Structure formats: C-alpha cells, structure tokens
Amino acid sequence: MPLDPSGHAAAWEGRSPSDEKVRDFARRIETSAPRSVSFDPSDGLTLAEGEIVALVYNHDLRVARLKAGVAKATAEHAGRWDDPELSFDVLKVTEGVPNPWVVGSALSVTLPISGRLAVEKARADAAEQSELARVAEEEWETLRDLRKAWLEWSADRLRLQETESIVGSLDSAVETTGKLTEAGELPRTESTLFKLEQESRKADIARLRGKVKEGEQEIRSLMGISPGAPAKLVPTLASGSGKDRGKLADTNPTLIRLQGEYAEAELVLVREIRKQFPDLQLGPAFEEDQGQSKIGITGGIPIPILNSNKGGIATAKAQREVARAAFETELERTEGRLASMRARLSGAQSRRQSIDSNVVPLVDRQVEDARSLLEIGEGGSLVLLESLVRAYEAKLDLIEARLEESVAGNDIRHLLGPDRLTAKTK
C-alpha cells in the first residue's frame, strides 16, 4: 500500500463542511445528544457547527483514533495460549549394534495454570479503554482550541470594524479641520494631528486584516479543511462556562484517562505477580531405541526459587506509584486552575459591565458634543481628537474584556469536561 501524496492532497482540498460524512455524524449526535443539535452550514458555519466538522476531520484526532485501533487489535488477541512446541532427537550408536539409530520426539503444550493469561487479557482491555479515554481527551482539547481560536478571530474582526469606523470619523474630521486651517481659523499643527492619527489607524487596519486572515486559516486547520474549502465562518464572542456535573474525577477527560492508566498499572502488577507461579508444560512423547518403541508423556515445570520475577514485580509497583502520583497531582492542579479561572471570569465580567455601562456611553456623548462645538466654531479641535481616540480605545477595551470573559468561560468549560465523551475507534 504505497503512499499517494497527490491523491490525498486532492481529497483534502475537496473536503467541505457540507460533506455527507459530516452530516451523518451531525445526525448521529442529534439523535443521541441530551440537547438538540442543528447542523446547516449553508447559511454560514457557526462555532457549534465548526466543532462537529473538527471532530470529523481534525488531523490529530484521526491519528489518535488509529492509535486506539492498535490497542483494540492488541486486546482482541491478548490472553491466547502459547503455541505448542515440537522437539525431536536423532542419535546413532557409534558401536556396532543391529539397530544403531535412536529416534525421539515430543510435543509439549504450556498449560497456563498460573492464570497470567486471563490477567493479560484484562490488562489489554484496560489499555484499550485508556487509549479511548486519551482520544476523548484529545477531542475535548481540540474543541477547546477551536473555541479559543474562533473567539480570538471574532475579536479581531470587531477590532478591525472599530478601527475602520474611527478612520471614517477621522476622514470627516480631517476635511473639517483642513477647511478651518485654510480659513485661518485653526493652526496647521492641529489639523496635522488629525492626519497623523488617521494614517496611524490605517496602518492598524492593514495589520488587523492580516490577523483576521491568519485567524481564519488557523480555524480551518483545526477543523481539518483546506484553506480554499467553501466555508463562511460566523463570528461570535459568546462562550458558555459550563455547569458543574459532579466530581471532576468523573467528568474531566484528563482525570478519567489517568484513572484508566492507574487501573492498567494495577493489572500489570497482578500479571507480574502471577508470573511467580509457573505454568505446566505437558505433552506426548515417542522414542525408538534399538528397534524398541516407547510412548509416554513428557512434562516440565519451572521452580521459582531464585528469580521469582522479583524484578518485574518491583518495577510494576514503582510504575503503579507513578500512575497514582500522576492522577493525584493532576487532580490538585485541575482544582486549583478551576478556582483561578472562576476568579478571572468574575473579574472579566465586572470589567466588561463597567466599560459597557459607564465608559462607552460617556465617550460617545463626548465625541458628539466635541464635534458639534467644533462645527459651530466654539470648541477646540484637540478636544475632538482626544474624544475620538478615547472612544476608540474604550471600545477596544470593551472587546478585550468580552474576549477575556469568553476565554475564561471556555477554560472553565474545558476543565469541567463535556456532557458525554465522544471517543470512537472508527
């Protein structure tokens, strides 16, 4: 099965959020999800719809699911008996005898009386579950990264709109101050300040347009679609923070995976302990010596008095302690980060409400008053310029506060975990 880079590239470029594969997955989610899920990208791709596309086409998730398939294949064939062993001997008596050949053969089968094969099967099943939990964890992390990229792209679009708006306001102000300068009613130094501010904001527009394009391509990459795939993204700065659904150990995907890895480590220890108890080798034997045939049974059993698999047991115990520490420290870290994110969310909400309710209305009124006074010749131009800049900065602050609030909510939602895990091996 040789690689086909050109064929795969063509298939990738042909992917679309409207593909039947994505629609089929959306229908399955709609059937099994606790809440209604609507999927119709024809009128623009929303964040919720983009999450569905990412679960289907994301590059890293494809590899993660295939790795889980390896663990599944291993579990399906774990715990099998060892193959029987056939041995034979052919000897010749060197001194002259009527029948100088001595022929012997034996067929031995290992009887797993130690019970290690059953434990190995259980360990392989636990390893498969751990890999599925890892896939679920990577799915949830992918959705977190997608939501964050979508929020930041949406914020950049709003910053671009506000920057274009102030440039439009400065256009009329530059025209007005220019006329006043020509009439000798305003110093040229003051009218030049408007022009300088205008050109500076035009440079910001060019930078923000680049950031918007870059952000869109990052979103497309996370969804697993090509840069030219037909997809009109719908901006949003809304992101829920999720609700507590019980203990973090039962809902957080990382903690669920670490618990699975600890269960696997315990089964590895049980397997190593079972290896202390020997398995019996038993089977029929045949021998022909000087024309006489002999039939019987051959058997063997190791005597565990020197090795007793002490090294394997000690290693398994140490690995189990590592798995325990990994879970316990991650639980502590997650609880601490959750408290930190909730404090950040509270601060961001207070800041956003203050800017939205107090600062923005004040600066908007100040701009209108300053413009009216300048038009009738009773106000200074610098007051208008300062008012325009302050209004612009206040709106950028509001966008930043909304983004910080949404990102904090997204982080909280990630730590709390999904409503249900969506890991699949296919």
Side-chain angles (χ1 to χ4, degrees), residues 242-252 255 331 334-335 338 342 415-419:
K243 298 180 180 179
D244 292 342
R245 289 180 296 279
K247 297 180 179 179
L248 280 177
D250 298 329
T251 60
N252 180 274
L255 294 175
L331 178 61
T334 303
E335 290 281 7
L338 182 58
R342 282 173 170 160
L415 293 173
L416 294 176
D419 295 335

Side-chain angles (χ1 to χ4, degrees), residues 149-163 207-215 237 396 399-400 403:
W150 207 294
L151 292 171
E152 292 177 345
W153 168 77
S154 301
D156 283 334
R157 280 177 56 94
L158 287 177
R159 293 186 184 105
L160 176 60
Q161 291 174 9
E162 291 300 329
T163 305
R207 176 181 60 82
L208 287 169
R209 284 175 178 169
K211 286 193 65 179
V212 168
K213 291 180 179 179
E214 180 184 356
L237 272 180
L396 291 188
I399 294 171
E400 185 64 30
L403 176 62

Side-chain angles (χ1 to χ4, degrees), residues 258-259 261-263 265-266 317-329:
L258 291 174
Q259 290 177 83
E261 291 180 356
Y262 180 78
E266 285 215 302
K317 283 184 177 179
Q319 290 174 339
R320 183 183 64 174
E321 289 309 305
V322 171
R324 178 191 295 276
F327 169 75
E328 293 174 347
T329 54

Side-chain angles (χ1 to χ4, degrees), residues 178-190:
K179 292 179 178 179
L180 292 174
T181 300
E182 292 176 358
E185 299 179 8
L186 188 70
R188 184 171 300 278
T189 53
E190 292 188 17

Side-chain angles (χ1 to χ4, degrees), residues 137 208 216 256 375 380:
E137 178 187 18
L208 287 169
E216 180 176 346
I256 291 173
E375 290 176 351

Side-chain angles (χ1 to χ4, degrees), residues 91-287:
L91 302 175
K92 182 180 181 182
V93 179
T94 57
E95 298 181 1
V97 294
N99 297 300
W101 295 99
V102 179
V103 180
S105 65
L107 180 67
S108 60
V109 178
T110 301
L111 303 179
I113 59 177
S114 65
R116 62 179 177 83
L117 295 186
V119 176
E120 176 59 27
K121 173 64 176 174
R123 185 212 63 80
D125 289 339
E128 180 188 0
Q129 294 304 313
S130 293
E131 282 301 317
L132 288 175
R134 188 182 300 277
V135 173
E137 178 187 18
E138 291 195 29
E139 286 178 345
W140 195 231
E141 289 177 351
T142 297
L143 296 185
R144 174 202 60 190
D145 295 342
L146 177 66
R147 287 191 291 264
K148 183 178 179 181
W150 207 294
L151 292 171
E152 292 177 345
W153 168 77
S154 301
D156 283 334
R157 280 177 56 94
L158 287 177
R159 293 186 184 105
L160 176 60
Q161 291 174 9
E162 291 300 329
T163 305
E164 291 173 339
S165 177
I166 190 177
V167 168
S169 298
L170 287 169
D171 285 342
S172 60
V174 166
E175 182 180 356
T176 300
T177 54
K179 292 179 178 179
L180 292 174
T181 300
E182 292 176 358
E185 299 179 8
L186 188 70
R188 184 171 300 278
T189 53
E190 292 188 17
S191 63
T192 302
L193 288 176
F194 282 88
K195 188 65 175 176
L196 288 173
E197 184 68 24
Q198 181 189 48
E199 294 302 322
S200 177
R201 298 309 171 191
K202 285 182 178 179
D204 288 341
I205 288 177
R207 176 181 60 82
L208 287 169
R209 284 175 178 169
K211 286 193 65 179
V212 168
K213 291 180 179 179
E214 180 184 356
E216 180 176 346
Q217 293 307 320
E218 182 181 358
I219 291 172
R220 287 173 174 267
S221 178
L222 287 168
M223 289 193 296
I225 60 177
S226 67
K232 181 182 178 182
L233 308 184
V234 178
T236 181
L237 272 180
S239 176
S241 59
K243 298 180 180 179
D244 292 342
R245 289 180 296 279
K247 297 180 179 179
L248 280 177
D250 298 329
T251 60
N252 180 274
T254 301
L255 294 175
I256 291 173
R257 172 181 61 82
L258 291 174
Q259 290 177 83
E261 291 180 356
Y262 180 78
E264 181 186 353
E266 285 215 302
L267 287 169
V268 170
L269 175 58
V270 174
R271 182 191 63 187
E272 297 302 314
I273 292 174
R274 291 291 178 88
K275 285 183 179 180
Q276 291 183 106
F277 306 102
D279 292 330
L280 176 64
Q281 293 180 337
L282 190 66
F286 168 80
E287 183 177 298

